[in-house]
Amino acid sequence: MLNRTISPLAPANGVVFAVLCVIAFALLVLLRPQVPVDAADAAMLDSILLWDSMLPRAAMALIAGAALGLSGALLQRVLRNPIADASTLGIASGAELALTIAMSFSPLLLGLSRELVAFGGGLVAVAIVLALSWRRSLDPVTVALSGMIVTLIASALSVTVVLARGEYAMSIYIWGAGSLSQQDWSGVLSLGPRLLIGALATTLLMRPLTVLSLDDGAARSLGVALHSTRFLVLALGVWLSASVTAQVGIIGFLGLAAPAIARFVGARTTRQVMIVAPLAGAGLLFLTDCVTQLLGPGFSDLAPAGAATALLGGPLLLFLLPRVHSVAAVTARSSSAFGRMERPFVALLGLGALILLFLAAALTIGQGEDGWHVAVGSLFSDLLPFRLPRTAAAGGAGALLAAAGFIMQRVTGNPIASPEVLGVSAGGGAGLTVALFLFGFPSPTIMLTAMALGALVTFMVMVAIAGRTQFAPERLLLAGIAIGAFAMAIVTMVLAQGDMRAYILLTWLSGSTSRAGAFEAWTAVISAVGLAGALPLLGRWLTILPLGGSASRGLGLSVGLSRLILAVIAAVMTAIASFLVGPLSLTGLIAPHLARLIGFQKPGHQLLASILIGAGVLIAADWLSRIIIYPYQVPVGLFAALISGPYLVWLLTRRQGRQ
């Protein structure tokens, strides 16, 4: 928190901001579209548009923004974490998943209490995040990364439910993008009292909230029951954000922005932050919604309010990085669990044999209506055209992701780096989104090119950020979350349109290989052989770069050129793999790690082992995703994320002494 009092310019800035909001809304009212009917009907319809749509929407923006601003201030105070909010803690995604499941399979439950369902989902999500971060004393970096994992898995599960339910559930995702559109005053009358209750409860909790700014020992000495107080404040923050999510969908990162704005203008004490943050949140959401309406054609918005505010999340997280202090920073060391590998070639042959075993199982073993069967003879010939392309696509994508993760970890010198964690996969999705905007329904070649460009830009930004912070692990990871949030906000803008482009993005997000054909299979195999086969020629770069920029230059290496070439290769690998299996598998993280844990020491051996492990993981995941809940199928990207996510959490939360 900034060490200053309220700035004398803060009231003036607040007045200017309020005037901008009034001007924007006035323009919105004056420029509202006219209904092409006779004069009498036009006046009546215009009155309905103003009083039953525009004014309730404006009131909803103010109330929802204030509730999210207050929720963010409460969560940041109780966790002593300047980047805590409903988005970074997984609360919004947990609430959306609960609502999606309830709406898809038990609509009557929503009729009883939509807010209760959302509150339950958000509370479970934040409980998981806090449980995963408890061993590190709720360290801000670990909390943020655990929240990222919970958000990824919850979002992937939501996408899977939407795909399973088809067009009926597509409206769930459109609503989940955060729309403030109103048809009457019922939403305002529902959410308004909740905001008042939240404000009253915050007033009653003001003294404990003030004491929580101290360390735990001082807080206990002043008579505060830490665990019960934290639970009450957490429950209040989750309830406010879940109530907004239940009413209007996910409004991304507003709870992060509002307290940051409050502190930026000089709010120092707890009371000041709790007053200014809701006002900042209300004004920011109101102004954003007015601008999206003014820039949109006719009655349609340029983008849903939730997606528009989510675009602020990435840059704001980057701005807040210097204020985040990790008390238990993620170490950059990684040791072998089995000692040094004495015979690496034998181990590599063993990994190759294991992959062949997985491949044979994927092609022959499955379930049918009459139970388990092993396909042989004519049955094997009949099933091979369906099973072989998706298995080849999954294996090739796994190899590409593993190689890309290995490159990123060597370039940054950080074993936690990977296409998924650093937001590079999400950057590829942003590139795909731009291609869908420009070309409507682009060819696979254009899709791959656009994704490669998006992934390359993202990775180069990450390298630049990491270089400025001397590749500090915690800063690199938080920057990855920021870049990923920004890229996924771009994806959400198209998802909210609800057309066929949105369905293409939904399928991509889930990472399904069910429609993989000859094109996808050959693309995966040729890319894996060609791109990964070129890496041994760059072995000197991959060996020297982890030593740092100064040491690399001292050894005669052109750091900028080598990083650029490796970044291009990693970006192309990520784009192709993400095109095939989506952005969520986390294979690019766990494959190089498992190679090191097994005991491969030399970079060349680690690279080959990583490629083999990555291919094996996704081949096995694709096979299991087809049989584990037969006759339904889990998309391979989601299934791999469900396996890899716990590994990432374990890696981040294990104690320094066990590294």
Side-chain angles (χ1 to χ4, degrees), residues 455-612:
L456 176 61
V457 170
T458 304
F459 188 39
M460 293 306 297
V461 170
M462 289 301 308
V463 172
I465 293 172
R468 291 182 59 188
T469 60
Q470 288 74 49
F471 293 91
E474 66 274 10
R475 297 292 188 268
L476 183 67
L477 297 175
L478 290 177
I481 295 175
I483 298 296
F486 183 81
M488 290 307 298
I490 297 175
V491 174
T492 303
M493 293 176 65
V494 173
L495 282 173
Q497 303 302 315
D499 53 18
M500 283 303 297
R501 295 177 304 175
Y503 189 79
I504 292 174
L505 284 175
L506 276 176
T507 305
W508 169 74
L509 277 173
S510 69
S512 176
T513 57
S514 59
R515 298 186 179 182
F519 174 81
E520 288 79 8
W522 282 112
T523 299
V525 173
I526 294 174
S527 301
V529 173
L531 294 173
L535 291 180
L537 303 177
L538 308 177
R540 180 171 179 270
W541 296 357
L542 295 170
T543 302
I544 295 175
L545 280 176
L547 301 177
S550 300
S552 299
R553 293 185 188 94
L555 292 172
L557 184 65
S558 176
V559 176
L561 179 61
S562 59
R563 284 177 174 169
L564 176 61
I565 293 175
L566 289 173
V568 171
I569 295 175
V572 173
M573 286 179 165
T574 301
I576 296 173
S578 299
F579 174 76
L580 296 170
V581 297
L584 303 176
S585 70
L586 295 176
T587 305
L589 171 69
I590 67 167
H593 258 284
L594 290 176
R596 281 190 294 272
L597 288 173
I598 291 172
F600 292 98
Q601 300 292 325
K602 294 183 178 180
H605 296 159
Q606 287 182 10
L607 173 61
L608 291 175
S610 299
I611 292 172
L612 292 174

Side-chain angles (χ1 to χ4, degrees), residues 84-426:
D85 91 315
S87 300
T88 57
L89 294 178
I91 297 171
S93 296
E96 183 190 27
L97 175 60
L99 288 166
T100 300
I101 293 173
M103 190 177 295
S104 299
F105 300 104
S106 182
L108 293 178
L109 186 60
L110 291 184
L112 296 176
S113 179
R114 186 166 57 184
E115 289 77 13
L116 184 60
V117 173
F119 174 69
L123 195 62
V124 169
V126 76
I128 294 173
V129 171
L130 297 182
L132 295 172
S133 311
W134 196 261
R135 289 179 60 187
R136 284 186 178 263
S137 302
L138 301 182
D139 169 51
V141 174
T142 307
V143 169
L145 292 168
S146 299
M148 177 195 72
I149 296 301
V150 171
T151 297
L152 282 175
I153 294 176
S155 299
L157 287 171
S158 295
V159 171
T160 301
V161 173
V162 170
L163 290 173
R165 301 295 290 176
E167 294 180 0
Y168 167 73
M170 187 67 190
S171 60
I172 301 173
Y173 212 89
I174 299 173
W175 159 83
S179 175
L180 293 172
S181 299
Q182 303 292 307
Q183 296 180 346
D184 53 35
W185 289 88
S186 61
V188 174
L189 295 176
S190 174
L191 190 59
R194 290 169 170 76
L195 174 60
L196 293 176
I197 293 172
L200 178 60
T202 302
T203 302
L204 296 175
L205 291 169
M206 193 61 67
R207 180 184 177 276
L209 284 170
T210 303
V211 175
L212 283 176
S213 62
L214 307 174
D215 60 72
D216 290 354
R220 289 193 185 93
S221 66
L222 292 173
V224 173
L226 284 179
H227 294 311
S228 58
T229 302
R230 280 176 172 164
F231 177 78
L232 285 174
V233 176
L234 278 172
L236 180 59
V238 172
W239 177 67
L240 285 170
S241 61
S243 297
V244 174
T245 301
Q247 198 65 237
V248 298
I250 295 179
I251 306 295
F253 292 97
L254 194 67
L256 176 71
I261 293 172
R263 290 189 291 268
F264 182 75
V265 301
R268 186 176 66 177
T269 67
T270 301
R271 185 176 298 275
Q272 290 170 350
V273 173
M274 295 302 162
I275 292 174
V276 179
L279 296 176
L284 182 60
L285 184 57
F286 180 82
L287 183 61
T288 301
D289 187 52
C290 289
V291 171
T292 57
Q293 291 183 77
L294 286 171
L295 297 180
F299 284 96
S300 62
D301 301 337
L302 179 66
T309 56
L311 289 173
L312 302 173
L316 185 60
L317 274 174
L318 293 175
F319 173 75
L320 292 174
L321 283 184
R323 295 176 171 83
V324 179
H325 301 288
S326 174
V327 299
V330 179
T331 180
R333 293 193 300 266
S334 181
S335 60
S336 170
F338 303 101
R340 184 180 180 87
M341 182 68 65
E342 297 296 335
R343 307 174 98 181
F345 292 105
V346 175
L348 289 172
L349 289 175
L351 286 175
L354 186 61
I355 291 176
L356 291 177
L357 181 63
F358 286 154
L359 180 63
L363 295 178
T364 58
I365 301 175
Q367 284 199 75
E369 295 181 357
D370 54 347
W372 291 87
H373 62 82
V374 177
V376 293
S378 61
L379 180 59
F380 177 79
S381 302
D382 293 339
L383 292 176
L384 190 63
F386 301 97
R387 290 181 175 177
L388 181 58
R390 64 180 296 172
T391 303
L400 289 169
L401 285 173
F406 179 83
I407 292 174
M408 293 177 187
Q409 292 175 16
R410 303 299 292 186
V411 169
T412 62
N414 187 339
I416 311 295
S418 76
E420 304 91 348
V421 175
L422 296 187
V424 179
S425 295

